[in-house]
Amino acid sequence: MKISRIEHLGIAVQSIDEVLPYFQDVLGLEVYKTEVVEDQKVKTAFLKVGEVKLELLEPTCPESTVQKFLDNGGRGIHHVAFKVEDGVSEALAMCDGKGIRLIDKAPRKGADGLHIAFLHPKSTCGILTELCEE
Ligand code: ZN
């Protein structure tokens, strides 16, 4: 697969409103978009750091995998998203062929207009990995 850059970092938070003063007033970053992703049971807020985005993830219900991450003591960086230039489907097929455990067998619609798929952290050095394309 051909990865061109880190597209975004997913950051798990219990409340976007509670963490915004840090990102906005201390780091001086601006939220350019908020979006609820029903599929993933999260509310998201996007901030730009140059070409890379930060995706704040707030669970919208107890069944959200982000809520489970927080309940298990997870905090901060939740996943790393790579932009793939040669297609998420192709990248998934290649990963599958190399024995990488896939969370998504096919690309689905993610936040901010992306097509995404997740690789399982058990196969990716503990880093929940998202592949995405526009
Ligand atoms: Zn993401």
Side-chain angles (χ1 to χ4, degrees), residues 36-107:
V36 171
V37 187
E38 302 287 354
D39 200 33
Q40 293 172 56
K41 300 182 175 71
V42 288
K43 179 181 164 191
T44 60
F46 284 94
L47 306 97
K48 262 198 178 130
V49 188
E51 281 227 311
V52 178
K53 305 174 205 165
L54 300 182
E55 177 188 49
L56 303 181
L57 300 156
E58 174 187 310
T60 55
C61 69
E63 295 75 44
S64 166
T65 55
V66 171
Q67 186 61 61
K68 285 174 188 151
F69 175 81
L70 292 167
D71 289 346
N72 289 332
R75 221 172 151 228
I77 293 185
H78 174 262
H79 64 270
V80 176
F82 294 111
K83 184 174 185 194
V84 294
E85 295 297 334
D86 42 357
V88 173
S89 300
E90 291 78 0
L92 282 177
M94 189 275 277
C95 288
D96 198 27
K98 288 187 186 286
I100 300 291
R101 209 164 131 187
L102 310 179
I103 292 176
D104 299 303
K105 304 255 182 253

Side-chain angles (χ1 to χ4, degrees), residues 8 55 79 81 118 130:
H8 64 269
E55 177 188 49
H79 64 270
F118 282 96
E130 178 180 348

